[in-house]
Amino acid sequence: MISQQILFNSFLQSNYSPEKRAAQSWIVILGYILLIAACYFGGAAGLLRLVFPATSLLVAIFLYLRHPILYIGFTWWIWFLTPLLTRLVDYRIGWDPTRQMLVAPYLVVFVTIATFIKHLPRAIRQGGLPFVLGSIGVFYGFLIGLIYNPPVSVIRGFLDWLSPIIFAFHLFMNWRDYPSYRQHIQRVFLWCVFLLGAYGIYQFVVAPEWDRYWLIESKMFSSAGDPVPFGMRVWSTLHSSGPFGSVMQAGLLLLFTSSGPLIFPASATGYLSFLLSQVRTNWGGWLLGIIIILGSVKARIQMRLIMIILVMAMCVVPLVTIEPISKVVTTRLESFSNLEKDSSFQDRSKTYDRSLNLALSTGLGSGLGNIWKVNEKTGQIEVIVIDSGILDMFFTLGWFGAIPYIGGLILMLVSVSQYTEGRFDSFVSAARAIGISSCAQLIIYSGMLSVAGMIMWGFLAMAMAAHKYYQHQAMKM
């Protein structure tokens, strides 16, 4: 009887060992990739508009339950690659104005709603008040949106606003696994910078047909450039230059915390494509991030970072001097010294002058899903684009929703600014720099939504998780 019990226990240990779980998870991921490839190259690309979101959700659920760390990496890669796959499918079978494949990243993230529900009752006691406040603001906007706006738009807005919060909450509540989460996120963003940067350079030089097709159909010429070689503003595998700039800003700052032979090729492709994206907001965010990192680490680490910056500059500067890359980058950099004549700057200034008082006087808010308006001249329905996270918060959430949402962000910023762990853990310093610089960009960019929001909320949460982890380690000693 005892021997049978021993055999049964050994079976359970082998079945649920980390190695076995990892092997099973990679088999599932490989099968998922093969299924997508088979559909695309096997003449069934149209099925991917349904199959891809559905299978992404199933794989996410499996990884969430069996291998939580791989789930984190899978989530980031779905955000990075889904827009490119959507463009490839559109190019093969025709334009889809509903963009239904783009729902896949939100479905993958919403698996973490289980973490949110499970830990919500004790979240405040464990330091999760900022996430609770943020979610209260979003749920308020959701209820107002159901009253004023079309249900489909409300649901889309709900996914955009809530996904970053619940994913960040999931990262924070798993603070005990901070070291493994840190290592995995560093590896994911290292490969992200290298691969997305390389594709971004290819996109700029070649202008692939699927990217040209998307640009022509979306008619985003003013923000994405012309559909010709050397004419596009790089957006790589993302769906526009802004999100790509946010991803690369975070990835390039994280490179200072990583090591290995891939660092310098990743830096070369990453910085070059980052410059070719021409997103000045993220250029400024990167510079602010560098200042924050250098100001929060020990002198020894400061010298190391300065040496890395110099070596990276030696890799990138020669590439930037090549025409027509030099002309594109130089023209964009020169616009900083002549902002009063810059059309983008003027448009944002006019938006603030016209909308600030209106936004601050919106008590109830117009609710989530307020992305449509009727053009009085043409009678056509158009998408509202608000180039300011602050204005967007007050327009959408009103005072009743914006106060808890902004309050949650302020609490996080105040907390992470006081942490001292960055002096010996450079990842904490980089995560804090990414989060703070992302929040600073809310003045001129709605960086709390979609993948940009994932980065802002997610890295602030990682800094909070690190603090909690090191506090716990100190108590054990």
Side-chain angles (χ1 to χ4, degrees), residues 80-302:
F80 299 155
L81 299 179
T82 295
L84 174 61
L85 181 60
T86 303
R87 295 198 294 272
L88 289 169
V89 171
D90 284 349
Y91 176 70
R92 175 155 291 199
I93 65 172
W95 178 254
D96 176 22
T98 66
R99 320 305 292 149
Q100 63 188 40
M101 285 181 65
L102 296 179
V103 77
Y106 299 103
L107 295 178
V108 169
V109 170
F110 251 72
V111 174
T112 58
I113 197 71
T115 304
F116 190 78
I117 294 171
K118 178 182 177 181
H119 294 284
L120 184 60
R122 56 181 183 275
I124 296 177
R125 293 199 310 272
Q126 297 187 6
L129 179 59
F131 308 100
V132 175
L133 290 174
S135 61
I136 288 173
V138 173
F139 276 105
Y140 170 81
F142 175 72
L143 295 176
I144 295 298
L146 290 176
I147 297 173
Y148 293 116
N149 305 312
V152 174
S153 298
V154 174
I155 294 171
R156 174 60 192 273
F158 184 68
L159 294 173
D160 252 341
W161 283 81
L162 191 63
S163 295
I165 298 175
I166 61 173
F167 182 73
F169 182 78
H170 175 76
L171 294 175
F172 172 70
M173 294 308 299
N174 285 280
W175 59 266
R176 290 178 179 83
D177 297 317
Y178 164 73
S180 54
Y181 276 56
R182 173 188 61 193
Q183 182 182 21
H184 192 68
I185 290 173
Q186 285 176 316
R187 186 162 54 244
V188 165
F189 273 84
L190 174 60
W191 281 101
C192 161
V193 170
F194 177 61
L195 296 177
L196 270 63
Y199 182 82
I201 297 170
Y202 169 77
Q203 183 182 65
F204 179 75
V205 174
V206 177
E209 294 181 1
W210 46 88
D211 289 334
R212 282 187 285 165
Y213 178 77
W214 173 84
L215 183 52
I216 292 169
E217 291 295 331
S218 65
K219 298 179 176 60
M220 292 177 62
F221 305 112
S222 60
S223 61
D226 300 319
V228 295
F230 305 105
M232 293 181 177
R233 289 180 61 182
V234 166
W235 65 88
S236 189
T237 63
L238 278 296
H239 56 76
S240 66
S241 298
F244 173 68
S246 297
V247 170
M248 293 305 287
Q249 174 190 330
L252 291 170
L253 290 174
L254 276 184
L255 285 187
F256 295 115
T257 71
S258 303
S259 59
L262 195 61
I263 292 293
F264 293 111
S267 298
T269 62
Y271 279 106
L272 185 55
S273 63
F274 187 49
L275 290 171
L276 291 174
S277 70
Q278 303 177 53
V279 186
R280 293 172 301 182
T281 302
N282 294 113
W283 293 355
W286 175 85
L287 182 60
L288 176 60
I290 290 292
I291 295 171
I292 294 172
I293 292 174
L294 290 175
S296 62
V297 295
K298 294 180 179 179
R300 179 177 57 83
I301 301 178
Q302 285 179 341

Side-chain angles (χ1 to χ4, degrees), residues 20 57 63 95 97 106 115 120 155 177 229 245 269 271 303 365 368 372 379 418 421 423 459-460 466:
K20 192 172 185 64
L57 175 61
L63 295 176
W95 178 254
Y106 299 103
T115 304
L120 184 60
I155 294 171
D177 297 317
T269 62
Y271 279 106
M303 291 303 299
L368 302 182
W372 310 105
Q418 297 173 346
E421 289 82 5
R423 297 191 65 80
F459 280 98
L460 287 173

